[in-house]
Amino acid sequence: MNIVLDRARCEGHGLCEEAAPQLMHLDDEGELVLDREQVGEADAAAAQAAVRVCPVAALRLA
Ligand code: SF4
């Protein structure tokens, strides 16, 4: 499973980072950086939570 970011939609609020800090972080300029795009079993629940919490649907799992 991969996590995919639609950068054009992302508004940089960081709610996803709170849900899955092991997978993503906001950089110093407020841009979201995916630390890992491949999501294993151990991080699947966090990845799904990050997708759900994004208010502009900028994240999806593929
Ligand atoms: S929650 Fe959505 S809009 Fe906010 S930083 Fe994450 S991907 Fe971007």
Side-chain angles (χ1 to χ4, degrees):
M1 182 162 68
N2 283 354
I3 192 155
V4 180
L5 169 65
D6 182 344
R7 191 163 293 285
R9 277 178 178 260
C10 178
E11 295 177 353
H13 300 303
L15 298 174
C16 56
E17 180 184 14
E18 288 177 25
Q22 69 273 51
L23 298 175
M24 59 197 70
H25 70 275
L26 289 177
D27 70 12
D28 293 342
E29 288 164 8
E31 293 276 316
L32 186 67
V33 178
L34 296 179
D35 299 303
R36 273 186 289 143
E37 290 182 16
Q38 266 208 322
V39 178
E41 284 285 312
D43 296 314
Q48 284 162 354
V51 168
R52 265 198 316 273
V53 79
C54 177
V56 295
L59 292 171
R60 66 184 170 86
L61 293 172

